[in-house]
Amino acid sequence: MQQVLVDFRTEAPSGGGNAALLTASSGALFRGDHWVIRAGGEAVIGFCCSAGTQLGRVTLVGSPRAKARRPVEIRMEANGTLVWTREGLPGTRTRELERFDIPAAVLRPGQNALTVRNCGSEGSVYRLYKVFFEPLS
């Protein structure tokens, strides 16, 4: 069992092997130690799974921007399938730790994609600090 980590406080990972890789972003800005994902924006993180991975557990570290006036609605998709959603209100600087599982039917051997999307109303902002992916067999 190997854990994959994307930590935006450091340089973007180069990928390869079981390393995660930020493969695309739209409506998202890098701000030194985190990604700012505005309403309608997304960040897509690529990661690899070995054959036989039955389940994947994701831990997300992020928070709604305190100065934003609108709630965020974060949706996580694995390979295009919605696997988790949460609505959050601004007003705190606390980084939240969220955990959810990706069903085996959604994962495939080799390259996979995890999309973090802010579906909140205009003016909502989400800050993404870290993403952990742990394959569970």
Side-chain angles (χ1 to χ4, degrees):
M1 198 167 13
Q2 182 174 2
Q3 194 172 68
V4 175
L5 165 67
V6 176
D7 184 346
F8 299 119
R9 293 177 304 170
T10 61
E11 169 179 337
S14 61
N18 286 323
L21 174 65
L22 184 68
T23 57
S25 65
S26 172
L29 304 167
F30 186 66
R31 290 286 168 104
D33 69 345
H34 64 280
W35 279 91
V36 174
I37 305 174
R38 300 182 187 286
E42 66 184 33
V44 181
I45 301 160
F47 62 95
C48 289
C49 285
S50 57
T53 299
Q54 297 300 307
L55 187 72
R57 177 151 302 138
V58 174
T59 303
L60 181 75
V61 180
S63 66
R65 183 170 174 245
K67 293 181 182 178
R69 293 178 169 73
R70 306 276 190 244
V72 297
E73 181 185 346
I74 299 303
R75 292 185 185 183
M76 301 293 285
E77 295 176 4
N79 299 323
T81 300
L82 181 65
V83 292
W84 182 82
T85 187
R86 181 179 186 283
E87 194 168 318
L89 296 172
T92 178
R93 291 192 176 271
T94 304
R95 295 180 190 178
E96 299 167 4
L97 194 70
E98 307 282 2
R99 285 191 179 91
F100 57 92
D101 292 338
I102 300 174
V106 176
L107 293 172
R108 54 184 173 238
Q111 191 66 22
N112 290 266
L114 182 66
T115 303
V116 184
R117 183 174 289 129
N118 181 353
C119 296
S121 60
E122 187 176 333
S124 67
V125 177
Y126 186 73
R127 297 175 299 186
L128 179 62
Y129 292 92
K130 297 180 185 181
V131 179
F132 296 86
F133 176 77
E134 184 177 1
L136 304 175
S137 297

